[in-house]
Structures are given as structure tokens and as C-alpha cells.
């Protein structure tokens, strides 16, 4: 230990001891017990250190870029704080298990495109558990082995464009449960990787699959009818065999305005003249209009639904597909364990209907033309009275709302009538005194309902002798002497009571009082 301290005294003082011990004098005492303990901890790795930026790389904040450096091996000692690592445009050939010296807990984007990578060792990406985007495009990968992407449980996007992949082994994507977008364009695949959707451990959240520019000649139409309802499948620029099943699929996708087909329809060879050369349709099929149909049945009953627009008899060998609310069926194969089946003539049979069988069923068959506007191959099936019950409940709620509205309106009218009656019969006549005694009149416009003055003097009151007068407001505290307008007398005015015995009658008309004034 003493000899080591003497050899490395200067470096130890300048690089480690002085920054850690501050201004303390450590010269000549590197073998002090405290200093020796500090050095031992450093050697054992207990004191964290930050790796410098590797040569030929650019480090900026949390981004490390070693692109275009002609690297044949991955740099050793990469800083682990990076969230994005770009190693594209190099000469890398193998991604080994120990390609990094320490785990990258923060790394979310790894770019390995434009290299010569032909092999990825099993579980090589376990050191990057937080990876979200992995780009392996433009390499020389030929086979994707099992568990090649083990540990990438959070991966959402994987790019394998421009490789030489011919085979995808079972279990290759068994650990990428969060994968949403997979790019396999410009490879050499000859069969559709159906295991991506059917394997129990596959990426069940996959919503985007690009298989364009491969060597696919046939695709599983029945599976694609089911998968394409929640995922975008791109198949353009493949040498697909134009048969009746593929024609039915493309016609159905075009009717659904399926974006992977509508946006790249020029890249499909099975269209136009190629479709007309294939004899798939019955002689009367193309002229039968397609109209949506509705069917109702009770739980437990059997129901047969004919294919809309499909005339009988059906051409020999014509395959008819049905897209159900949960899966897809065809007339060439049936599942004995399922209570749904398709007859050779295209009729769908539901044995022992269940409530969950309610929904929209679509008949997919090669018709030799695209669907016209307003046409629909749909058949709506309703099992039980669930829709009737909901309609009845809606009607009940609507009638209840109408009753509440009518009751509120009636109550408002009754309250208004009561208030009017209270105002008519209980309002005191205080303006009568001002007219006789010369006192000040009413201070605002008002409707004064008083009895006949002669009846007041005689102490008698008659209910149908109400008088109505409209009084102009007069200034109560004004000092300016203004000639007052004579008060309008109502001696010659007689009206019948309002709302008397449930009716309104008018007795005498009003006399022109202007002449009397």
C-alpha cells in the first residue's frame, strides 16, 4: 500500500483527495489511515464516479451520439445517465450480452440503424429495461430468434426496416407486452407472422404492423378480418395472389375505408383487370343490391341469417366470410365447439342464441365490384327484448319528465292566480284620503282598487263595485309650486268584478272623464 501511495501521490492528491477533503494539506501523507480508507473505497467502487464522454462521441445533456464514427465495437464505459443513445451509421456486427458495462436505467431510445448487425445475442437488451423506442433498421438480420427481445417489457416501437429477415421464430416477441408499432417493411418474409396476434405471450397491444415490400403471396384472410378491426395492417407492394378470398378482403376494407388500403391502394396488384380475370362471382351477384337487414330472436332459439345481396344458388367453391361481434367465420371451415357456423350457401346460423350474440354481423364475399354509396352488407341481430326494455325505460323517463313539467306549470299558474286575488282584495285604499283632505297623493303609479265612495260613506261594501284608477306620481318633497292636475273622479265609472264566479264580465264602459274635468 505504501509503494502504491508513493507512486500515485500526485494523481491521488489532485484528482481525488483535494476535491474530497477540501483545503486540507495532504502532501506527504497519502498513506494516512483516513486517506488509505478513502482510496480503498474508491477502488472498490463505493464512491460513485461519472464516466466521461467516449472519444468520437458527442454528449449533450442526456443525449449521447456516436453516429458516423466507423465503430466496429460498442464504446466501453458509456455514461449511464443517457436517455437517448445514437449508434447509427457505424460498422457494428454483433450486439453482445455485455455490450454495456452497467445498466442503463434511464435509456428510452436506442438507435442502431445503418450498421452491419447480423446477430443479437439472447437477452442482450436486459440492460435497458426502460427502453421505449428501438431502431434496428438497415442491418443484416436474417432470423429473429426466441427471446431476442427479452427484458424489453416497456418497448412501444420497434423498427426492423430494411433487413433480410426471412423467419420469425416462435417466442421472439414473448416479452414485449407493451409493443404497439412494429415495422417489418422491406424484408424477405414469405408468410404472414400470425403469431404476433395469436401467441399467448405475444404483443396483445399491437395496433400497427407494416409488412409492405416483402415477399408475401398469401395472407390469412379470416384472421385479418378480425385483426384489422383494431390494428392497421400494411400489405402494399407484396406479390399477393389475387384469389376470391383476397378480393373479398380488399372490397370489404375499401367499403370500411380502411386507411392502410385507401392510402396505398396503388401498391396492390389485385385490382382492376386482375380482379376481372378471376371468376369469383355468381352471374347474378353483381346486380343484387345490398341492403342492411334486421333480425330478432329469443334466447335459446336458432336463427339463420342469409348473406345480404347474395343470390342462390351460390357458385361452387365460393368462400363466404362473416365478421361477427367477437370473431370471423367462413363457409369452408367450421368450429364444432362454436354455436355459430356458416353454411356453404353463405347463410349464418346461430344455434341457441345468447344475449351477447346481439350486434352487427357483416357478410364478406367477393362481389367483383366496390360497394356503392348507401349499400351495406350488414345484418343487425337482436336477441331478447333488451332493446325493447331500454326503449320502454326511455319512454317512461320521458313521460315522467313531461308530467313534472306539466305539474310545475300548473302549480305556477295556481300561485299566480292566488297572488292576483290577494292583490285585488287585500290591497288597502290609502289614496282616497289624499283626494278629500287635500293631503299628498300616492307617491308612484299604482292601481287603486276601492269601493264606491257612496258605499264607503254609508258603511256598505259591495264586492262587484271595485273602482280602478291610474294615478300619476307626484313629488312629495318638492318646494316648487306646480299646478296640480285635478284628480280623476270615478263616480261615473263602474266595472264588474274580475274573476267573479269563475268568469269575467264587463258591465258599463268607461265614460270620457276629460269632459267632466
Amino acid at each position: 500500500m505504501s509503494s502504491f501511495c508513493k507512486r500515485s501521490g500526485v494523481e491521488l492528491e489532485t484528482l481525488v483527495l483535494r476535491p474530497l477533503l477540501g483545503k486540507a494539506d495532504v502532501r506527504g501523507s497519502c498513506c494516512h489511515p483516513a486517506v488509505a480508507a478513502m482510496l480503498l473505497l474508491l477502488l472498490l467502487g463505493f464512491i460513485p464516479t461519472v464516466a466521461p464522454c467516449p472519444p468520437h462521441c458527442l454528449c449533450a445533456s442526456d443525449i449521447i451520439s456516436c453516429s458516423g464514427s466507423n465503430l466496429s465495437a460498442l464504446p466501453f464505459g458509456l455514461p449511464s445517465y443517457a436517455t437517448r443513445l445514437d449508434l447509427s451509421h457505424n460498422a457494428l456486427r454483433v450486439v453482445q450480452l455485455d455490450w454495456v458495462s452497467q445498466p442503463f436505467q434511464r435509456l428510452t431510445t436506442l438507435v442502431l440503424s445503418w450498421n452491419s448487425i447480423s446477430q443479437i445475442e439472447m437477452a442482450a437488451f436486459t440492460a435497458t429495461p426502460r427502453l421505449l423506442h428501438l431502431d434496428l433498421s438497415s442491418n443484416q438480420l436474417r432470423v429473429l430468434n426466441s427471446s431476442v427481445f427479452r427484458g424489453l417489457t416497456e418497448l412501444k416501437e420497434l423498427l426492423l426496416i430494411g433487413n433480410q429477415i426471412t423467419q420469425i421464430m416462435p417466442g421472439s416477441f414473448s416479452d414485449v407486452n407493451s409493443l404497439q408499432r412494429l415495422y417489418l417493411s422491406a424484408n424477405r418474409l414469405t408468410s404472414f407472422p400470425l403469431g404476433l396476434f395469436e401467441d399467448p405471450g405475444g404483443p396483445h397491444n399491437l395496433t400497427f404492423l407494416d409488412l409492405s415490400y416483402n415477399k408475401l403471396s398469401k395472407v390469412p384472410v379470416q384472421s385479418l378480418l378480425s385483426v384489422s378491426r383494431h390494428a392497421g395492417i400494411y400489405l402494399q407492394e407484396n406479390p399477393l395472389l389475387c384469389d376470391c378470398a383476397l378480393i373479398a378482403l380488399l372490397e370489404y376494407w375499401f367499403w370500411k375505408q380502411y386507411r392502410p388500403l385507401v392510402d396505398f391502394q396503388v401498391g396492390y396488384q389485385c385490382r382492376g383487370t386482375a380482379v376481372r380475370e378471376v371468376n369469383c362471382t355468381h352471374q347474378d351477384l353483381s346486380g343484387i343490391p345490398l341492403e342492411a337487414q334486421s333480425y330478432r330472436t329469443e334466447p335459446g332459439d336458432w336463427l339463420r341469417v342469409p348473406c345480404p345481396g347474395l343470390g342462390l344458388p351460390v357458385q361452387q367453391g365460393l368462400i363466404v366470410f362473416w365478421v361477427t361481434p367477437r370473431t370471423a367465420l367462413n363457409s369452408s371451415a367450421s368450429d364444432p365447439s362454436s354455436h355459430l357456423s356458416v353454411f356453404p350457401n353463405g347463410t349464418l346460423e346461430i344455434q341457441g342464441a345468447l344475449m351477447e350474440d346481439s350486434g352487427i354481423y357483416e357478410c364478406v364475399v367477393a362481389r367483383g365490384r366496390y360497394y356503392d354509396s348507401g349499400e351495406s352488407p350488414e345484418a343487425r341481430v337482436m336477441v331478447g327484448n333488451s332493446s325493447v326494455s331500454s326503449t320502454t325505460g326511455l319512454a317512461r323517463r320521458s313521460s315522467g319528465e313531461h308530467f313534472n313539467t306539466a305539474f310545475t306549470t300548473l302549480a305556477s299558474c295556481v300561485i299566480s292566480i292566488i297572488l292576483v286575488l290577494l292583490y285585488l282584495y287585500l290591497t288597502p285604499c290609502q289614496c282616497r284620503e289624499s283626494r278629500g283632505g287635500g293631503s299628498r297623493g300616492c307617491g308612484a303609479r299604482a292601481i287603486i282598487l276601492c269601493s264606491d265612495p257612496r258605499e264607503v260613506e254609508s258603511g256598505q261594501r259591495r264586492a262587484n263595485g271595485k273602482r280602478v284608477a291610474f294615478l300619476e306620481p307626484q313629488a312629495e318633497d318638492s318646494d316648487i309650486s306646480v299646478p296640480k292636475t285635478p284628480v280623476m273622479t270615478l263616480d261615473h265609472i263602474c266595472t264588474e268584478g274580475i274573476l267573479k264566479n269563475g268568469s269575467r264580465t264587463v258591465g258599463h264602459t268607461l265614460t270620457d272623464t276629460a269632459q267632466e274635468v
Side-chain angles (χ1 to χ4, degrees), residues 132-135 154-161 173 176-185 196-197 203-211 230-232 234 260 264:
L132 300 178
H133 307 278
L134 175 59
D135 189 356
E154 299 183 12
L155 187 67
K156 295 184 180 300
E157 186 177 60
L158 175 59
L159 283 75
L160 294 167
I161 305 171
F173 299 91
V176 286
N177 301 322
S178 301
L179 188 63
Q180 298 177 0
R181 303 176 69 88
L182 176 58
Y183 295 82
L184 287 168
S185 178
L196 291 172
F197 301 98
H204 300 294
N205 297 320
L206 194 64
T207 59
F208 183 98
L209 177 60
D210 186 2
L211 292 170
H230 55 80
Y234 291 79
F264 299 95

Side-chain angles (χ1 to χ4, degrees), residues 93-367:
R93 296 183 178 274
V94 180
V95 180
Q96 298 179 350
L97 179 61
D98 56 349
W99 65 282
V100 289
S101 58
Q102 54 185 339
F104 278 73
Q105 298 294 340
R106 303 180 185 178
L107 192 65
T108 59
T109 302
L110 176 60
V111 182
L112 292 169
S113 59
W114 293 101
N115 279 277
S116 301
I117 300 175
S118 59
Q119 180 183 358
I120 300 176
E121 294 186 358
M122 185 180 300
F125 296 106
T126 54
T128 57
R130 303 288 185 231
L131 204 61
L132 300 178
H133 307 278
L134 175 59
D135 189 356
L136 288 165
S137 301
S138 300
N139 281 284
Q140 299 179 10
L141 295 173
R142 291 178 173 82
V143 178
L144 295 181
N145 297 317
S146 300
S147 303
V148 66
F149 300 113
R150 179 186 299 176
L152 299 179
T153 57
E154 299 183 12
L155 187 67
K156 295 184 180 300
E157 186 177 60
L158 175 59
L159 283 75
L160 294 167
I161 305 171
N163 279 272
Q164 303 174 17
I165 300 174
T166 59
Q167 187 177 8
I168 299 177
M169 301 297 294
S172 299
F173 299 91
S174 59
D175 209 14
V176 286
N177 301 322
S178 301
L179 188 63
Q180 298 177 0
R181 303 176 69 88
L182 176 58
Y183 295 82
L184 287 168
S185 178
N187 280 280
R188 299 180 181 179
L189 293 172
T190 57
S191 60
F192 188 90
L194 195 57
L196 291 172
F197 301 98
E198 294 185 351
D199 287 348
H204 300 294
N205 297 320
L206 194 64
T207 59
F208 183 98
L209 177 60
D210 186 2
L211 292 170
S212 60
Y213 294 92
N214 275 276
K215 298 183 179 300
L216 302 177
S217 58
K218 293 185 68 67
V219 291
V221 174
Q222 180 176 339
S223 299
L224 289 182
L225 285 171
S226 179
V227 169
S228 60
R229 291 186 296 182
H230 55 80
I233 312 296
Y234 291 79
L235 298 172
Q236 69 272 13
E237 301 301 339
N238 276 280
L240 297 173
L241 178 62
C242 191
D243 56 4
C244 298
L246 182 61
I247 292 174
L249 174 66
L250 298 181
E251 289 176 355
Y252 173 74
W253 277 356
F254 201 87
W255 173 70
K256 299 286 287 188
Q257 288 296 291
Y258 191 54
R259 301 316 308 178
L261 172 63
V262 175
D263 295 341
F264 299 95
Q265 56 182 311
V266 180
Y268 289 84
Q269 300 178 5
C270 190
R271 59 188 181 91
T273 306
V275 174
R276 290 189 291 270
E277 292 177 354
V278 181
N279 186 18
C280 293
T281 60
H282 189 269
Q283 58 181 356
D284 297 328
L285 180 62
S286 59
I288 300 177
L290 289 101
E291 297 180 354
Q293 305 293 330
S294 296
Y295 300 89
R296 182 185 297 275
T297 187
E298 295 299 325
D301 292 347
W302 289 35
L303 176 65
R304 289 185 176 180
V305 182
C307 179
L310 183 61
L312 298 177
V314 177
Q315 178 180 343
Q316 185 70 23
L318 182 64
I319 301 178
V320 180
F321 300 91
W322 276 91
V323 180
T324 71
R326 292 186 299 274
T327 184
L329 308 171
N330 72 77
S331 58
S332 62
S334 60
D335 184 4
S337 62
S338 177
H339 67 292
L340 301 177
S341 60
V342 182
F343 292 151
N345 62 359
T347 299
L348 173 68
E349 183 180 63
I350 303 177
Q351 304 175 6
L354 305 175
M355 295 292 292
E356 52 266 26
D357 291 330
S358 298
I360 296 178
Y361 293 73
E362 298 165 335
C363 181
V364 181
V365 62
R367 305 178 187 273

